[in-house]
Amino acid sequence: MKRMTDRAEIVIIGGGIVGCSVLYGLVRSNRTDCLLLERRNLASGSTWHAAGNVTRFGHHTGLTRLYADSITTYLEAERESGQGIGFHSTGSLRLATTPGELARYHALAADFRRLGIEYRVLEPLELEPLHPLLCTDGLFGAAHTPGDGHLDPTGATHALATVARASGARIRTRCPALSLAPASDGWEVETASGTIRCRQVVIASSFWARQFVRPLGISLPLFALEHHEIITGPSERIGQLDFELPTVRDPHAPSNIRQEGSGFLCGVYESDPVPWATNGIPEHFAEELLEPDIGRLEPHLLRVIERIPAFGEAGIRAVNNGPICYTPDGLPLLGPVRSRPGLWLATGFSIGIGTGGGAGRFLARWIADGQPPYDLPITDPGRFPDGLDADTCLRRIIRTYANGYALAAPDD
Ligand SMILES: Cc1cc2nc3c(=O)[nH]c(=O)nc-3n(C[C@H](O)[C@H](O)[C@H](O)COP(=O)(O)OP(=O)(O)OC[C@H]3O[C@@H](n4cnc5c(N)ncnc54)[C@H](O)[C@@H]3O)c2cc1C
């Protein structure tokens, strides 16, 4: 094949929901000379098998903005592209299983008011009409965010990409970035068909990013873990309802449970999660799921059944196990690599559907304006000490994942 040199102002590496969202944000900020490279197909990483849950509930103002902006961004992209994103506006309930959780939910109310997000803290008795299948025994209440729901992550990715393309940005699929090197006026990205010269590069390649930037002497604090979701058969109890149930996040299980058709879909946070491909992502890994291990989920599922007995009656239809990217505090790496001018990160997303739309908008504004649109130190890539060793990084990742829906301390 003839090798050629191409140019773009900004190259984005990775065409999952996050990379496409950065691309969409850039064209919305009038930066259209952008080229996105995707090694396989758009959404073929973790995005295609995600449950698609999106919430506006964050424990920190900046994070809540990312969440809220994500839903807004996907709906905007749907309107502009005509590509459906399948948003189900069901609302969600975050259960208070201890008095401490309830107190935190009350303390967060001022934040939501300031951001104009509908939010209420409910008594156990108020939950029954919203979720008649929920057993409220032992509950202290729940936080209710009515604008939440779930959507089709692949549809949302394509909606973002369609608008970006129509605005002049380019997307090249089946085109892995092979390496990256600094050049006199920016960066050179090597691909099988040639070199691409650019001023700025955004790494949006999730758990692939760790090995990709290692040759530059950068050690990213992220790894992949196995993450399970269970889909049940039809539930008779759901069949009797004339509305869709809200998503439930239960810190005691810990798990999220929502309606999927006439059954349930449940994502489980294991207490002893299993890391995946810590020595490097297999070269040919693509659009694949991992071997499920339902035995490991049993203690969690028993708690889910206690909370929603109908879940236990519906019978398991499918168990999906997919790799999920994690950083030591569970939050993404979003911003510049300060020691390498022109190199940006939008990676490390474990709730990439929930935060991707807002994160793309945030990073694009930062790139286009030279400063972030608002302060977001909790996702700044520089928040981890340089040279955090792999063992410590993985240990913290495992602890964070296992904590599930436990809220970080107020000043975290
Ligand atoms: C079972 C399961 C359920 C989940 N449910 C939810 C949920 O309900 N809500 C939620 O918010 N999150 C959920 N997640 C997490 C969510 O899937 C991820 O956070 C999200 O998809 C991350 O998006 P991304 O764009 O960062 O990564 P990816 O979708 O993995 O995209 C990265 C892309 O980069 C490409 N790439 C890698 N290396 C290169 C290279 N060198 N050159 C070019 N391209 C490259 C890959 O092919 C890939 O397409 C779930 C995860 C799992 C496993």
Side-chain angles (χ1 to χ4, degrees):
M1 187 187 299
K2 188 175 175 310
R3 291 183 61 75
M4 50 187 271
T5 302
D6 197 351
R7 277 179 197 281
E9 187 197 349
I10 304 168
V11 168
I12 297 150
I13 298 174
I17 198 158
V18 172
C20 289
S21 174
V22 173
L23 188 70
Y24 175 86
L26 284 167
V27 302
R28 297 297 302 269
S29 305
N30 296 320
R31 298 297 179 109
T32 52
D33 184 11
C34 298
L35 172 59
L36 183 147
L37 303 177
E38 163 54 48
R39 65 187 273 272
R40 302 275 304 175
N41 298 309
L42 296 182
S44 63
S46 287
T47 297
W48 72 271
H49 56 64
N53 297 323
V54 288
T55 177
R56 289 177 170 86
F57 182 100
H59 69 278
H60 178 282
T61 313
L63 203 56
T64 307
R65 272 187 84 163
L66 285 189
Y67 284 136
D69 284 352
S70 293
I71 300 176
T72 309
T73 301
Y74 302 140
L75 290 171
E76 256 171 35
E78 179 180 57
R79 265 196 314 275
E80 292 164 0
S81 65
Q83 158 71 54
I85 66 163
F87 182 53
H88 291 233
S89 178
T90 60
S92 61
L93 296 169
R94 189 154 174 143
L95 305 183
T97 56
T98 66
E101 282 163 7
L102 188 68
R104 280 300 300 284
Y105 299 166
H106 278 297
L108 287 169
D111 237 22
F112 290 99
R113 239 189 338 269
R114 211 172 28 249
L115 292 169
I117 295 169
E118 208 184 337
Y119 174 83
R120 289 183 305 156
V121 182
L122 304 176
E123 303 274 328
L125 272 179
E126 295 175 283
L127 300 178
E128 207 276 330
L130 289 174
H131 199 307
L133 309 190
L134 189 73
C135 168
T136 56
D137 291 354
L139 283 185
F140 292 84
H144 181 214
T145 25
D148 296 0
H150 60 94
L151 50 76
D152 163 21
T154 301
T157 304
H158 282 280
L160 296 162
T162 301
V163 176
R165 266 200 197 104
S167 310
R170 292 180 290 157
I171 294 177
R172 212 170 280 162
T173 55
R174 305 259 159 195
C175 184
L178 301 174
S179 65
L180 184 63
S184 55
D185 57 348
W187 292 88
E188 284 185 357
V189 184
E190 208 57 47
T191 71
S193 53
T195 306
I196 302 157
R197 300 222 168 98
C198 60
R199 314 243 347 153
Q200 320 212 47
V201 182
V202 181
I203 308 288
S205 51
S206 188
F207 40 72
W208 284 271
R210 189 177 164 89
Q211 65 211 58
F212 186 72
V213 301
R214 195 181 296 134
L216 296 170
I218 300 170
S219 172
L220 292 183
L222 55 84
F223 281 106
L225 299 175
E226 296 190 8
H227 183 58
H228 284 84
E229 64 189 13
I230 289 138
I231 300 156
T232 72
S235 154
E236 224 173 276
R237 297 294 309 280
I238 288 182
Q240 292 158 358
L241 299 173
D242 59 2
F243 64 94
E244 186 171 349
L245 292 167
T247 303
V248 171
R249 293 184 176 78
D250 182 350
H252 181 60
S255 65
N256 53 66
I257 311 111
R258 69 160 170 84
Q259 188 175 328
E260 169 75 3
S262 54
F264 295 95
L265 188 156
C266 172
V268 178
Y269 289 90
E270 292 177 62
S271 45
D272 199 7
V274 175
W276 178 72
T278 50
N279 292 324
I281 309 305
E283 197 185 330
H284 298 292
F285 180 79
E287 292 113 341
E288 284 167 62
L289 289 169
L290 311 173
E291 193 59 40
D293 184 350
I294 193 153
R296 293 197 329 241
L297 311 181
E298 203 177 305
H300 305 275
L301 294 182
L302 290 174
R303 289 179 174 191
V304 175
I305 293 169
E306 270 172 32
R307 190 54 67 208
I308 303 180
F311 175 82
E313 295 155 13
I316 293 176
R317 183 159 65 80
V319 183
N320 295 337
N321 180 12
I324 192 167
C325 189
Y326 254 76
T327 63
D329 58 9
L331 296 174
L333 306 171
L334 187 63
V337 181
R338 291 193 174 76
S339 58
R340 306 287 199 288
L343 182 60
W344 300 83
L345 299 177
T347 187
F349 285 78
S350 55
I351 311 176
I353 317 305
T355 40
R361 186 184 279 228
F362 175 86
L363 192 74
R365 289 273 309 279
W366 194 345
I367 294 172
D369 301 344
Q371 55 185 17
Y374 50 91
D375 283 342
L376 201 51
I378 55 167
T379 59
D380 194 290
R383 70 190 183 279
F384 295 108
D386 275 348
L388 182 67
D389 69 275
D391 286 348
T392 310
C393 177
L394 195 54
R395 223 177 21 253
R396 290 193 195 160
I397 282 173
I398 287 172
R399 190 179 59 200
T400 298
Y401 177 95
N403 275 342
Y405 290 112
L407 288 179
D411 53 355
D412 276 357

